[in-house]
Amino acid sequence: MPPLDDSAAPHPTTQATSAAFFDLDKTIIASSSALAFSKPFLRQGLINRRAALKSAYAQLMFALSGADADRTERLRAEISRMCTGWDVEQVKAIVSETLHDVVAPLVYAEAAELIERHKAEGRDVIVLSATGEEVVRPIADMLGITHSLGSRMEIVDGRYSGKVDFYCYGEYKAVAARQIATERGYDLAECHAYTDSSTDLPLLEVVGHPHVVNPDRALRRTAQERGWPVHTFASPISPRARIPSPTTTAAVAVGLGVGAVAAGATLFGLSRKKHRDAPRG
């Protein structure tokens, strides 16, 4: 498993003994983080108008229907086909320039407040997302989250190859949470986890305090059966008023860490590889 990304974060003087793990899409933000960039990609010529319209339709279906496993994988397969071969530096530049305009208005106010509450109570906050790490990290930075782990994509000759080095999805999120807890000394019985998707059930089952957010039907049913808290997040607003614009250092960190918006999109189409590409370690 890749190391937890906290390179841009100040290290606390005391080590937290528990954490709150957050999914990203439809848990922290009211959308798919990869699909959210379809308009800037269209403007910069990475995709054509037909692809952008298909992305917009997929976004609508994602919002209306919930991200069950089959539907999510179909969307991911389409995005994978679309972005394999993209130039990494071009993607980095687009995401760096548009991150705050594209993603900030999608952040749930309820999620931002909850993140701050966990930090105030002395927990580490960790984003675990199937989206590529280079888009996960800037979003985490924007929200003041110090730790994150996303999927990692192979790059060949400066372009995304379509192959996955690490897939932070489904059961692998639970593997990641266990390993992070071991490395950082967390008591998983004291940890919290938040997600909207039934594909993240393994993550919810490894912590002592599972929570579901805007759950799909299968996860809502499981939560009701097990008595888990169900949260409704309904107010996506920009955190710009609460979070300062990026400093030069943060902008550099974003520039270095955004390549996997394409990676995260490409990862979406690779569910068949997940049994072969299990996290190592």
Side-chain angles (χ1 to χ4, degrees), residues 134-241:
E134 286 93 348
V135 75
V136 175
R137 180 67 258 168
I139 293 174
D141 287 343
M142 184 175 67
L143 291 169
I145 298 171
T146 54
H147 311 296
S148 66
L149 183 65
S151 298
R152 290 192 177 182
M153 196 63 197
E154 180 184 71
I155 298 171
V156 177
D157 296 328
R159 297 180 181 273
Y160 297 108
S161 72
K163 295 182 180 179
V164 180
D165 286 333
F166 171 72
Y167 194 22
C168 191
Y169 176 80
E171 65 207 64
Y172 299 156
K173 285 189 182 180
V175 173
R178 289 191 189 97
Q179 184 163 330
I180 291 167
T182 298
E183 292 172 351
R184 303 186 70 88
Y186 301 142
D187 179 356
L188 282 171
E190 298 299 322
C191 289
H192 297 245
Y194 297 83
T195 184
D196 71 292
S197 177
S198 55
T199 62
D200 288 338
L201 185 59
L203 172 64
L204 295 173
E205 290 176 334
V206 302
V207 300
H209 302 281
H211 304 255
V212 303
V213 175
N214 299 343
D216 60 36
R217 284 193 293 269
L219 184 57
R220 183 179 294 277
R221 184 167 56 250
T222 300
Q224 291 171 344
E225 292 170 352
R226 302 189 187 185
W228 293 347
V230 178
H231 303 269
T232 300
F233 291 176
S235 304
I237 64 170
S238 172
R240 196 183 291 263

Side-chain angles (χ1 to χ4, degrees), residues 100-129:
H100 279 255
D101 291 332
V102 169
V103 176
L106 300 175
V107 175
Y108 282 120
E110 297 94 338
E113 292 168 1
L114 190 57
I115 287 164
E116 291 305 312
R117 187 185 313 162
H118 279 295
K119 290 165 60 179
E121 292 173 355
R123 296 184 192 90
D124 286 341
V125 176
I126 300 170
V127 177
L128 297 178
S129 176

Side-chain angles (χ1 to χ4, degrees), residues 261-279:
V261 63
T266 303
L267 289 163
F268 284 0
L270 296 167
S271 60
R272 291 176 182 157
K273 288 179 61 61
K274 67 183 179 181
H275 297 298
R276 301 198 302 270
D277 293 332

